[in-house]
Coordinates of all heavy atoms in Angstrom, one line a residue:
M1 N 6.4 -11.1 20.5 CA 6.1 -10.4 19.3 C 7.4 -9.8 18.8 O 8.1 -9.1 19.5 CB 5.0 -9.3 19.5 CG 4.7 -8.5 18.2 SD 3.5 -7.2 18.5 CE 2.1 -8.1 19.1
S2 N 7.7 -10.0 17.5 CA 8.9 -9.4 16.9 C 8.7 -8.0 16.6 O 7.6 -7.4 16.6 CB 9.3 -10.2 15.7 OG 8.4 -9.9 14.6
A3 N 9.9 -7.3 16.4 CA 9.8 -5.8 16.0 C 9.0 -5.7 14.7 O 8.3 -4.7 14.5 CB 11.2 -5.3 15.9
T4 N 9.2 -6.6 13.8 CA 8.5 -6.5 12.5 C 7.0 -6.6 12.7 O 6.2 -5.9 12.1 CB 9.0 -7.6 11.5 OG1 10.4 -7.4 11.3 CG2 8.3 -7.5 10.2
E5 N 6.6 -7.6 13.5 CA 5.2 -7.8 13.8 C 4.6 -6.5 14.5 O 3.5 -6.1 14.2 CB 4.9 -9.0 14.7 CG 5.2 -10.3 13.9 CD 5.2 -11.5 14.9 OE1 5.5 -11.3 16.0 OE2 4.8 -12.5 14.4
S6 N 5.4 -6.0 15.4 CA 4.9 -4.8 16.1 C 4.8 -3.6 15.2 O 3.8 -2.9 15.2 CB 5.9 -4.4 17.2 OG 5.5 -3.3 17.9
S7 N 5.7 -3.4 14.2 CA 5.6 -2.3 13.3 C 4.5 -2.5 12.3 O 3.8 -1.5 11.9 CB 6.9 -2.1 12.6 OG 7.2 -3.2 11.7
M8 N 4.2 -3.7 12.0 CA 3.0 -4.0 11.1 C 1.7 -3.7 11.9 O 0.8 -3.2 11.3 CB 3.0 -5.4 10.6 CG 4.1 -5.7 9.5 SD 3.9 -4.6 8.1 CE 2.5 -5.2 7.3
D9 N 1.7 -4.0 13.2 CA 0.5 -3.7 14.0 C 0.3 -2.2 14.0 O -0.9 -1.7 13.9 CB 0.7 -4.2 15.4 CG 0.6 -5.7 15.5 OD1 0.1 -6.4 14.6 OD2 1.0 -6.2 16.5
V10 N 1.3 -1.4 14.1 CA 1.3 0.1 14.1 C 0.8 0.5 12.8 O -0.1 1.4 12.7 CB 2.6 0.7 14.5 CG1 2.6 2.2 14.3 CG2 3.0 0.4 16.0
L11 N 1.3 0.0 11.7 CA 0.8 0.3 10.4 C -0.6 0.0 10.2 O -1.4 0.8 9.6 CB 1.7 -0.4 9.3 CG 1.3 -0.1 7.9 CD1 1.4 1.4 7.5 CD2 2.2 -0.9 7.0
E12 N -1.1 -1.1 10.7 CA -2.5 -1.5 10.6 C -3.4 -0.5 11.3 O -4.4 -0.1 10.8 CB -2.7 -2.9 11.1 CG -4.2 -3.3 10.9 CD -4.4 -4.8 11.4 OE1 -3.4 -5.5 11.7 OE2 -5.6 -5.2 11.4
V13 N -3.0 -0.1 12.5 CA -3.7 0.9 13.3 C -3.8 2.2 12.5 O -4.9 2.9 12.4 CB -3.1 1.1 14.7 CG1 -3.7 2.3 15.4 CG2 -3.3 -0.2 15.5
R14 N -2.7 2.6 11.9 CA -2.6 3.9 11.1 C -3.5 3.8 9.9 O -4.2 4.7 9.5 CB -1.2 4.2 10.7 CG -0.4 4.6 12.0 CD 1.1 4.7 11.7 NE 1.4 5.6 10.6 CZ 2.5 5.5 9.8 NH1 3.4 4.5 9.9 NH2 2.7 6.4 8.8
L15 N -3.5 2.6 9.2 CA -4.4 2.4 8.1 C -5.9 2.5 8.5 O -6.7 3.2 7.8 CB -4.2 1.1 7.4 CG -3.0 1.0 6.4 CD1 -2.6 -0.4 6.2 CD2 -3.4 1.7 5.1
L16 N -6.2 1.9 9.6 CA -7.6 1.9 10.0 C -8.1 3.3 10.4 O -9.2 3.7 10.1 CB -7.8 0.9 11.2 CG -7.7 -0.5 10.9 CD1 -7.7 -1.4 12.1 CD2 -8.8 -1.0 9.9
A17 N -7.2 4.0 11.0 CA -7.5 5.4 11.4 C -7.7 6.3 10.1 O -8.6 7.1 10.1 CB -6.4 6.0 12.3
A18 N -6.8 6.1 9.2 CA -7.0 6.9 7.9 C -8.3 6.5 7.2 O -9.0 7.4 6.6 CB -5.8 6.6 7.0
H19 N -8.7 5.2 7.2 CA -9.9 4.8 6.7 C -11.1 5.5 7.4 O -12.0 6.0 6.8 CB -10.1 3.3 6.7 CG -9.5 2.6 5.5 ND1 -10.1 2.7 4.2 CD2 -8.4 1.8 5.4 CE1 -9.3 1.9 3.4 NE2 -8.3 1.4 4.1
D20 N -11.0 5.5 8.7 CA -12.1 6.0 9.6 C -12.3 7.5 9.3 O -13.4 8.0 9.3 CB -11.8 5.8 11.1 CG -12.0 4.4 11.5 OD1 -12.6 3.6 10.8 OD2 -11.5 4.1 12.6
T21 N -11.2 8.2 9.1 CA -11.3 9.7 8.8 C -11.4 10.1 7.4 O -11.6 11.2 7.1 CB -10.0 10.4 9.4 OG1 -8.9 10.0 8.8 CG2 -9.9 10.2 10.9
G22 N -11.3 9.1 6.5 CA -11.4 9.4 5.1 C -10.2 10.1 4.5 O -10.3 10.8 3.5
D23 N -9.0 10.0 5.1 CA -7.8 10.7 4.7 C -7.1 9.9 3.6 O -6.3 9.1 3.8 CB -6.9 10.8 5.9 CG -5.6 11.6 5.6 OD1 -5.4 11.9 4.4 OD2 -4.9 12.0 6.6
V24 N -7.6 10.2 2.4 CA -7.2 9.4 1.2 C -5.7 9.6 0.9 O -5.0 8.6 0.5 CB -8.1 9.7 0.0 CG1 -7.6 8.9 -1.2 CG2 -9.5 9.4 0.3
A25 N -5.2 10.8 1.0 CA -3.8 11.0 0.8 C -2.9 10.2 1.7 O -1.9 9.6 1.3 CB -3.4 12.5 0.9
T26 N -3.3 10.1 3.0 CA -2.5 9.2 3.9 C -2.7 7.8 3.6 O -1.7 7.0 3.7 CB -3.0 9.5 5.3 OG1 -2.7 10.9 5.7 CG2 -2.3 8.6 6.4
L27 N -3.9 7.4 3.1 CA -4.1 6.0 2.7 C -3.1 5.6 1.6 O -2.6 4.5 1.6 CB -5.5 5.7 2.3 CG -6.5 5.7 3.4 CD1 -7.9 5.7 2.9 CD2 -6.3 4.4 4.3
V28 N -2.9 6.5 0.6 CA -2.0 6.2 -0.5 C -0.6 5.9 0.1 O 0.0 4.9 -0.3 CB -1.9 7.4 -1.5 CG1 -0.8 7.2 -2.5 CG2 -3.2 7.6 -2.2
M29 N -0.1 6.8 1.0 CA 1.2 6.6 1.5 C 1.3 5.4 2.4 O 2.3 4.6 2.4 CB 1.6 7.8 2.3 CG 1.7 9.1 1.4 SD 2.5 8.9 -0.2 CE 4.2 8.5 0.4
L30 N 0.3 5.1 3.2 CA 0.4 3.9 4.1 C 0.3 2.6 3.3 O 1.0 1.7 3.6 CB -0.8 4.0 5.1 CG -0.6 5.1 6.1 CD1 -1.8 5.2 7.0 CD2 0.6 5.0 7.0
Y31 N -0.6 2.5 2.3 CA -0.6 1.3 1.5 C 0.7 1.1 0.7 O 1.2 0.0 0.5 CB -1.8 1.3 0.5 CG -3.1 0.8 1.2 CD1 -4.2 1.7 1.5 CD2 -3.2 -0.5 1.7 CE1 -5.3 1.2 2.1 CE2 -4.3 -0.9 2.3 CZ -5.4 -0.1 2.5 OH -6.5 -0.5 3.2
L32 N 1.3 2.2 0.3 CA 2.6 2.1 -0.4 C 3.6 1.6 0.6 O 4.5 0.8 0.2 CB 3.0 3.5 -1.0 CG 4.4 3.6 -1.7 CD1 4.5 2.5 -2.8 CD2 4.6 5.0 -2.2
E33 N 3.6 2.1 1.8 CA 4.5 1.6 2.8 C 4.4 0.1 3.0 O 5.3 -0.6 3.1 CB 4.3 2.4 4.1 CG 5.3 2.0 5.2 CD 5.0 2.8 6.5 OE1 4.5 3.9 6.5 OE2 5.4 2.2 7.6
A34 N 3.1 -0.3 3.1 CA 2.8 -1.7 3.3 C 3.3 -2.5 2.1 O 3.9 -3.6 2.3 CB 1.3 -1.9 3.5
A35 N 3.1 -2.0 0.9 CA 3.6 -2.7 -0.3 C 5.1 -2.8 -0.3 O 5.7 -3.8 -0.6 CB 3.2 -2.0 -1.5
D36 N 5.8 -1.7 0.1 CA 7.3 -1.7 0.2 C 7.8 -2.7 1.2 O 8.8 -3.5 0.9 CB 7.8 -0.3 0.5 CG 7.6 0.6 -0.7 OD1 7.4 0.2 -1.8 OD2 7.7 1.9 -0.4
R37 N 7.1 -2.8 2.3 CA 7.5 -3.8 3.3 C 7.3 -5.2 2.8 O 8.2 -6.1 3.0 CB 6.7 -3.6 4.6 CG 7.0 -2.4 5.4 CD 6.2 -2.3 6.6 NE 6.4 -1.1 7.3 CZ 6.0 -0.9 8.6 NH1 5.3 -1.8 9.2 NH2 6.2 0.3 9.2
A38 N 6.2 -5.5 2.1 CA 5.9 -6.8 1.5 C 7.0 -7.1 0.5 O 7.5 -8.2 0.4 CB 4.5 -6.9 0.9
A39 N 7.3 -6.1 -0.3 CA 8.3 -6.3 -1.4 C 9.7 -6.7 -0.8 O 10.4 -7.5 -1.3 CB 8.5 -5.1 -2.3
S40 N 10.0 -6.0 0.3 CA 11.3 -6.3 0.9 C 11.4 -7.7 1.5 O 12.5 -8.3 1.6 CB 11.6 -5.3 2.0 OG 10.8 -5.5 3.1
G41 N 10.3 -8.3 1.8 CA 10.2 -9.7 2.2 C 9.9 -10.7 1.1 O 9.7 -11.8 1.3
H42 N 9.9 -10.2 -0.1 CA 9.7 -11.0 -1.3 C 8.3 -11.7 -1.3 O 8.2 -12.8 -1.7 CB 10.8 -12.0 -1.5 CG 12.1 -11.4 -1.5 ND1 12.6 -10.6 -2.6 CD2 13.1 -11.4 -0.6 CE1 13.8 -10.2 -2.3 NE2 14.2 -10.7 -1.1
H43 N 7.3 -10.9 -0.8 CA 5.9 -11.4 -0.8 C 5.1 -10.7 -1.9 O 4.4 -9.7 -1.7 CB 5.3 -11.1 0.6 CG 6.0 -11.8 1.7 ND1 5.9 -13.2 1.9 CD2 6.8 -11.3 2.7 CE1 6.7 -13.4 3.0 NE2 7.2 -12.3 3.5
I44 N 5.3 -11.2 -3.1 CA 4.7 -10.5 -4.3 C 3.2 -10.3 -4.2 O 2.7 -9.3 -4.6 CB 5.1 -11.2 -5.6 CG1 4.8 -10.4 -6.8 CG2 4.5 -12.6 -5.7 CD1 5.6 -9.2 -7.1
E45 N 2.5 -11.3 -3.7 CA 1.0 -11.3 -3.7 C 0.6 -10.1 -2.7 O -0.3 -9.4 -3.0 CB 0.4 -12.6 -3.3 CG 0.6 -13.7 -4.2 CD 0.1 -13.4 -5.6 OE1 -1.0 -12.8 -5.7 OE2 0.7 -13.8 -6.6
K46 N 1.2 -10.1 -1.6 CA 0.9 -9.0 -0.6 C 1.3 -7.7 -1.2 O 0.6 -6.7 -1.0 CB 1.7 -9.3 0.7 CG 1.1 -10.4 1.6 CD 1.9 -10.5 2.9 CE 1.4 -11.6 3.7 NZ 2.1 -11.7 5.0
E47 N 2.5 -7.6 -1.8 CA 3.0 -6.3 -2.3 C 1.9 -5.8 -3.3 O 1.5 -4.6 -3.3 CB 4.3 -6.5 -3.1 CG 4.7 -5.3 -3.8 CD 5.9 -5.5 -4.7 OE1 6.4 -6.6 -4.8 OE2 6.4 -4.5 -5.2
C48 N 1.5 -6.7 -4.2 CA 0.5 -6.2 -5.3 C -0.9 -5.9 -4.7 O -1.5 -5.0 -5.2 CB 0.4 -7.3 -6.4 SG 1.9 -7.3 -7.4
F49 N -1.2 -6.6 -3.6 CA -2.5 -6.3 -3.0 C -2.5 -4.9 -2.4 O -3.4 -4.1 -2.7 CB -2.7 -7.3 -1.8 CG -3.9 -7.0 -0.9 CD1 -5.2 -7.4 -1.3 CD2 -3.7 -6.3 0.3 CE1 -6.3 -7.1 -0.5 CE2 -4.8 -6.0 1.1 CZ -6.1 -6.4 0.7
F50 N -1.4 -4.5 -1.7 CA -1.3 -3.2 -1.1 C -1.0 -2.1 -2.2 O -1.6 -1.0 -2.1 CB -0.1 -3.2 -0.1 CG -0.4 -4.0 1.1 CD1 0.5 -4.9 1.6 CD2 -1.6 -3.8 1.9 CE1 0.3 -5.6 2.7 CE2 -1.8 -4.5 3.0 CZ -0.9 -5.5 3.4
L51 N -0.3 -2.5 -3.3 CA -0.1 -1.5 -4.4 C -1.4 -1.2 -5.1 O -1.7 -0.1 -5.5 CB 0.9 -2.1 -5.4 CG 2.4 -2.1 -5.1 CD1 3.1 -2.8 -6.2 CD2 2.8 -0.6 -5.0
T52 N -2.3 -2.2 -5.2 CA -3.6 -2.0 -5.9 C -4.4 -1.0 -5.1 O -5.0 0.0 -5.6 CB -4.3 -3.3 -6.1 OG1 -3.5 -4.2 -6.9 CG2 -5.7 -3.1 -6.7
H53 N -4.4 -1.1 -3.8 CA -5.1 -0.2 -2.9 C -4.5 1.2 -3.0 O -5.2 2.2 -3.2 CB -5.1 -0.7 -1.5 CG -6.1 -1.8 -1.2 ND1 -5.9 -3.1 -1.6 CD2 -7.2 -1.8 -0.5 CE1 -6.9 -3.8 -1.2 NE2 -7.8 -3.0 -0.6
A54 N -3.2 1.3 -2.9 CA -2.6 2.6 -3.1 C -2.9 3.2 -4.4 O -3.2 4.4 -4.5 CB -1.0 2.4 -2.9
W55 N -2.8 2.5 -5.5 CA -3.1 3.0 -6.8 C -4.5 3.5 -6.9 O -4.8 4.6 -7.4 CB -2.9 1.9 -7.8 CG -3.1 2.2 -9.3 CD1 -2.7 3.4 -9.9 CD2 -3.7 1.4 -10.3 NE1 -3.1 3.4 -11.2 CE2 -3.6 2.2 -11.5 CE3 -4.2 0.2 -10.3 CZ2 -4.1 1.7 -12.7 CZ3 -4.7 -0.3 -11.5 CH2 -4.6 0.4 -12.7
I56 N -5.5 2.7 -6.5 CA -6.9 3.2 -6.6 C -7.1 4.5 -5.8 O -7.8 5.4 -6.3 CB -7.9 2.0 -6.0 CG1 -7.8 0.8 -6.9 CG2 -9.3 2.6 -5.9 CD1 -8.1 1.0 -8.4
F57 N -6.6 4.5 -4.6 CA -6.7 5.8 -3.8 C -6.0 6.9 -4.5 O -6.5 8.1 -4.4 CB -6.3 5.6 -2.3 CG -7.3 4.8 -1.5 CD1 -6.9 3.6 -0.9 CD2 -8.6 5.2 -1.3 CE1 -7.8 2.8 -0.2 CE2 -9.5 4.5 -0.6 CZ -9.1 3.3 0.0
A58 N -4.8 6.7 -5.0 CA -4.1 7.7 -5.7 C -4.9 8.2 -6.9 O -5.0 9.4 -7.2 CB -2.7 7.2 -6.2
L59 N -5.5 7.3 -7.7 CA -6.4 7.7 -8.8 C -7.5 8.6 -8.3 O -7.9 9.6 -9.0 CB -6.9 6.5 -9.5 CG -5.9 5.7 -10.4 CD1 -6.5 4.4 -10.8 CD2 -5.4 6.5 -11.6
E60 N -8.1 8.2 -7.2 CA -9.3 8.9 -6.6 C -9.0 10.4 -6.4 O -9.8 11.2 -6.6 CB -9.7 8.2 -5.3 CG -10.9 8.8 -4.7 CD -11.4 8.1 -3.5 OE1 -11.3 6.8 -3.4 OE2 -11.7 8.7 -2.5
I61 N -7.7 10.7 -5.9 CA -7.4 12.1 -5.6 C -6.5 12.7 -6.6 O -6.1 13.9 -6.4 CB -6.8 12.2 -4.2 CG1 -5.5 11.4 -4.1 CG2 -7.8 11.8 -3.1 CD1 -4.7 11.6 -2.8
G62 N -6.2 12.0 -7.7 CA -5.4 12.6 -8.7 C -3.9 12.8 -8.3 O -3.2 13.6 -8.8
D63 N -3.5 11.9 -7.5 CA -2.1 11.9 -7.0 C -1.2 11.5 -8.1 O -1.4 10.4 -8.7 CB -2.0 11.0 -5.8 CG -0.6 11.1 -5.0 OD1 0.4 11.1 -5.7 OD2 -0.7 11.1 -3.8
P64 N -0.1 12.2 -8.4 CA 0.9 11.8 -9.4 C 1.5 10.5 -9.2 O 2.1 9.9 -10.1 CB 1.9 13.0 -9.4 CG 1.5 13.9 -8.4 CD 0.3 13.5 -7.7
L65 N 1.5 10.0 -7.9 CA 2.0 8.6 -7.7 C 1.3 7.5 -8.4 O 1.8 6.4 -8.6 CB 2.0 8.3 -6.2 CG 3.1 8.9 -5.3 CD1 2.8 8.6 -3.8 CD2 4.4 8.3 -5.7
A66 N 0.1 7.8 -8.9 CA -0.7 6.8 -9.5 C 0.0 6.2 -10.7 O -0.1 5.0 -10.9 CB -2.1 7.4 -10.0
D67 N 0.7 7.0 -11.5 CA 1.5 6.4 -12.6 C 2.6 5.5 -12.2 O 2.8 4.4 -12.8 CB 2.1 7.5 -13.5 CG 1.0 8.3 -14.2 OD1 -0.1 7.8 -14.4 OD2 1.2 9.5 -14.5
I68 N 3.3 5.9 -11.1 CA 4.4 5.0 -10.6 C 3.8 3.7 -10.0 O 4.3 2.6 -10.2 CB 5.1 5.8 -9.5 CG1 5.9 7.0 -10.1 CG2 6.1 4.9 -8.7 CD1 6.4 8.0 -9.1
L69 N 2.7 3.8 -9.3 CA 2.1 2.6 -8.7 C 1.6 1.7 -9.8 O 1.8 0.5 -9.7 CB 0.9 3.0 -7.8 CG 1.3 3.8 -6.6 CD1 0.1 4.5 -5.9 CD2 2.1 3.0 -5.6
R70 N 1.0 2.2 -10.9 CA 0.5 1.4 -12.0 C 1.7 0.7 -12.6 O 1.6 -0.5 -13.0 CB -0.2 2.3 -13.0 CG -0.8 1.4 -14.1 CD -1.2 2.2 -15.3 NE -1.8 1.4 -16.3 CZ -1.2 0.6 -17.1 NH1 0.1 0.4 -17.0 NH2 -1.8 -0.2 -18.0
A71 N 2.8 1.4 -12.8 CA 4.0 0.8 -13.4 C 4.5 -0.3 -12.6 O 4.9 -1.4 -13.1 CB 5.1 1.9 -13.6
R72 N 4.5 -0.2 -11.2 CA 5.0 -1.3 -10.4 C 4.0 -2.5 -10.5 O 4.5 -3.6 -10.6 CB 5.0 -0.8 -8.9 CG 6.3 -0.1 -8.6 CD 6.3 0.3 -7.1 NE 6.5 -0.9 -6.2 CZ 6.6 -0.8 -4.9 NH1 6.6 0.5 -4.3 NH2 6.6 -1.8 -4.1
L73 N 2.7 -2.2 -10.6 CA 1.8 -3.3 -10.8 C 2.0 -4.0 -12.1 O 2.0 -5.2 -12.3 CB 0.4 -2.8 -10.6 CG -0.1 -2.5 -9.2 CD1 -1.3 -1.7 -9.2 CD2 -0.3 -3.8 -8.5
A74 N 2.2 -3.2 -13.2 CA 2.4 -3.7 -14.5 C 3.7 -4.6 -14.6 O 3.7 -5.6 -15.2 CB 2.5 -2.6 -15.5
R75 N 4.8 -4.2 -13.9 CA 6.0 -5.0 -13.9 C 5.8 -6.3 -13.3 O 6.5 -7.3 -13.5 CB 7.1 -4.2 -13.1 CG 7.8 -3.2 -13.9 CD 9.1 -2.8 -13.2 NE 8.9 -2.3 -11.8 CZ 8.7 -1.0 -11.5 NH1 8.5 -0.1 -12.4 NH2 8.5 -0.7 -10.2
N76 N 4.8 -6.4 -12.4 CA 4.4 -7.7 -11.7 C 3.3 -8.4 -12.4 O 2.7 -9.3 -11.9 CB 4.1 -7.5 -10.3 CG 5.3 -7.1 -9.5 OD1 6.3 -7.8 -9.5 ND2 5.3 -6.0 -8.8
G77 N 2.9 -7.9 -13.6 CA 1.8 -8.6 -14.4 C 0.5 -8.4 -13.8 O -0.4 -9.3 -14.0
R78 N 0.2 -7.3 -13.1 CA -1.1 -7.1 -12.4 C -2.0 -6.1 -13.0 O -3.0 -5.7 -12.5 CB -0.8 -6.8 -10.9 CG -0.1 -7.8 -10.1 CD -0.7 -9.2 -10.2 NE -0.4 -10.1 -9.2 CZ 0.7 -10.8 -9.1 NH1 1.6 -10.8 -10.0 NH2 0.8 -11.7 -8.1
V79 N -1.6 -5.5 -14.2 CA -2.5 -4.5 -14.8 C -2.9 -5.1 -16.2 O -2.2 -5.7 -16.9 CB -1.7 -3.2 -15.0 CG1 -2.6 -2.2 -15.8 CG2 -1.3 -2.6 -13.7

């Protein structure tokens, strides 16, 4: 297993834990982290998938990141 695969496994565990506990603020940040990782690998579909999740959770809690996340999605033609 590569270091990248291992770090994604850790991120997945953290995402699942945040879902289990209902920690929406953490979900925003973790989905954003996943989107940034996908973007760095030029995986636009994955990036937008994770950005959408981050955006919806940010909207749910009134996080000011919602506007930034929406703008990123719009730049990729996803809004």
Side-chain angles (χ1 to χ4, degrees):
M1 178 183 304
S2 73
T4 301
E5 289 171 329
S6 178
S7 66
M8 286 305 288
D9 289 343
V10 170
L11 179 58
E12 183 177 354
V13 168
R14 292 170 55 209
L15 275 164
L16 291 173
H19 275 287
D20 286 345
T21 62
D23 187 347
V24 179
T26 297
L27 286 169
V28 172
M29 299 312 298
L30 292 174
Y31 277 114
L32 178 55
E33 180 180 336
D36 289 343
R37 288 182 186 191
S40 71
H42 306 288
H43 301 287
I44 189 74
E45 296 299 323
K46 287 181 182 181
E47 175 190 4
C48 290
F49 173 83
F50 293 128
L51 282 175
T52 300
H53 282 73
W55 181 40
I56 297 302
F57 285 120
L59 288 170
E60 183 177 320
I61 61 171
D63 190 313
L65 278 175
D67 291 337
I68 294 166
L69 296 166
R70 184 194 184 287
R72 277 182 68 178
L73 285 164
R75 278 194 306 271
N76 289 307
R78 299 308 203 275
V79 176

